[in-house]
Structures are given as C-alpha cells and as structure tokens.
Amino acid sequence: MTYPATTTASKTVLITGASSGIGEATARRLAASGHRMVLGARRVERLAALAKEIEADGGSALPHTLDVTDPLSMRSFVQAARDQYGRVDVLVNNAGVMPLSRLDALRTEEWDRMIDVNLRGVLHGIAAVLPTMQAQGAGHIVNIASVSGLRVDPTAAVYSATKHAVRALSEGLRQESRNLRVTVISPGLTRSELTDTIGDQDTKDAVTGQMAIAIPAAAIGEAIHYAITQPAEVDVNEIVVRPTAQG
C-alpha cells in the first residue's frame, strides 16, 4: 500500500498563548518548516521578541496582542492574519491556565478563570476562524487539551472539566465538518509556565515535585507539526503525548 506524502506547503498558522511554553515552542518548530506564524498573547513584548528571533532565522511571524476571553480581541487577531497573509489555514487554540486546587478550597474565581480561558477561549477561537475557513473550503483547528481531559485527579476537578469539554467540543466540530480538519493534542507533564498559575501553595508544591519527569514543550510542537503536515484527506483526530515515566 502506498500512502500519500506529507504536505510541505507553507501555511498561515495562528497560535494563541504563543509567548511561552507550548505556544512558543510550536511557533519555533512551524516557522522553521516555512510556515507563516501569527502569534497571539497578552504579553506583547515577549511576542515581539519571539517574532524578531523567528524572522532573524529566515521565518515569517506577526505578533498581535490577544485576550482569548474577549471575542472582539480574537476576531481582531484573525483579521490581522487575513490582512497580512490573505488567509487562515491553521488555528492552534493553545492558551490555557491551570490553577489547581481542591474543590473545598472554594477558589471560585480561579474556577471561573479556567472556564473563561480554557473553554470559552477555545470557543472564541473557533467562532473567529470558522467563517474564513468555510469560505476557503479548508482549514485546520488544533485544540490543546490535556491528559487531564482523559482522567480526573484530586485538585484537578475543574481543570479536568474544561479539558474534557475541549475534547467533546472538538469531536462535535469534527463531526459537523467535511472540509475542516480538527485535531486534539493532549499533553502530559510538560515544561511550561502553567504551574505558575497555581495559587494554592500545597498543590503547587506537589505539582512542582512531579515536574522532574516533564517533557520539553518542543515535544508537543513536534506533534502539532505532524498533524498539520498530513495530506488534506488525512485528519489526525487526537494525539496524546506524555513522559514515558508518567503514570
């Protein structure tokens, strides 16, 4: 049997939460393969520095301020990509927060923040790119979930709920689409700044202790690269990437 070769065509790729961690690593990996990057995050100075490095290495990158909890901000982000590059091929919904805690700690503002960023942010991204992708007759949405979307652990109930929801949302979108590809990437313990969002000190100490086995964010960028470079008729629906030593 002969399988179609992976595509090397340059794509316009939008990444949310691109200023650090998985978003930054993915931007570097995809830019190195010749894709045009549109980088979104709140920390514009870090985005600008990343874009400058990418362009110094011969790549193409447009930094743009972005708050995924604001639908208008997300639409502006997508419009900037269209204005600069004329199309939107891939959206990587990567922005996320993970302020883990036990439910009886009643850190309700953190619950709301996770729902706003991890779930509503993904919905805002989908809503912003769908009209363009449908008009193009093609597009690819990559949603970053988590192994916490496959299981539930103490202190992670709300975080897991948002990631389970991202997986359900992605599957619904996939079933509704015929020209649109949808991929869920579920990372395990990965080195990033997510642990910095944990406000409960006992939980933060416990998670920090587990990070000795964490894999680099570049491993997730590699998985995203694999998914988006498959032939148009191949939709990689889900990839789980975690440390070999993770239980």
Side-chain angles (χ1 to χ4, degrees):
M1 180 180 293
T2 301
Y3 294 94
T6 57
T7 178
T8 57
S10 179
K11 298 182 178 185
T12 299
V13 182
L14 287 64
I15 303 178
T16 72
S19 61
S20 66
I22 290 171
E24 177 185 352
T26 299
R28 293 183 187 278
R29 177 64 179 90
L30 300 185
S33 294
H35 300 292
R36 302 174 295 271
M37 310 310 304
V38 184
L39 311 174
R42 292 175 301 161
R43 296 179 292 186
V44 184
E45 70 289 343
R46 293 183 66 164
L47 286 181
L50 174 59
K52 185 176 181 179
E53 289 181 30
I54 287 173
E55 297 203 329
D57 289 336
S60 177
L62 173 68
H64 195 278
T65 182
L66 173 64
D67 177 358
V68 299
T69 68
D70 180 354
L72 293 177
S73 179
M74 182 64 79
R75 287 199 289 271
S76 175
F77 177 56
V78 174
Q79 188 59 52
R82 294 184 61 186
D83 291 344
Q84 181 79 5
Y85 297 118
R87 60 184 293 113
V88 173
D89 297 302
V90 182
L91 169 66
V92 181
N93 275 314
N94 166 71
V97 292
M98 191 184 69
L100 305 178
S101 65
R102 288 174 52 93
L103 287 171
D104 56 16
L106 300 179
R107 302 176 74 97
T108 56
E109 291 185 2
E110 293 179 350
W111 302 351
D112 290 341
R113 180 67 176 161
M114 280 187 277
I115 293 168
D116 286 343
V117 176
N118 299 354
L119 180 54
R120 286 196 180 96
V122 170
L123 284 165
H124 294 161
I126 291 170
V129 299
L130 265 184
T132 296
M133 289 183 173
Q134 288 173 336
Q136 294 171 171
H140 195 163
I141 294 177
V142 179
N143 293 329
I144 306 301
S146 169
V147 294
S148 292
L150 302 166
R151 56 187 286 176
V152 182
D153 296 303
T155 75
V158 178
Y159 180 70
S160 289
T162 64
K163 295 304 186 178
H164 276 76
V166 167
R167 293 182 68 240
L169 174 64
S170 302
E171 175 60 10
L173 178 62
R174 184 195 69 80
Q175 292 192 32
E176 291 176 5
S177 306
R178 289 300 175 267
N179 297 321
L180 182 70
R181 299 196 294 180
V182 182
T183 299
V184 176
I185 307 289
S186 294
L189 287 168
T190 303
R191 291 196 286 276
S192 73
E193 296 182 2
L194 267 184
T195 55
D196 295 345
T197 65
I198 302 175
D200 182 85
Q201 193 58 50
D202 289 341
T203 302
K204 187 170 187 175
D205 291 344
V207 173
T208 300
Q210 298 172 13
M211 294 305 289
I213 64 168
I215 56 178
I220 312 304
E222 194 64 42
I224 294 170
H225 176 267
Y226 171 80
I228 74 167
T229 55
Q230 297 308 299
E233 67 272 22
V234 177
D235 188 0
V236 178
N237 298 144
E238 186 159 12
I239 302 177
V240 181
V241 184
R242 60 184 138 202
T244 303
Q246 184 172 352

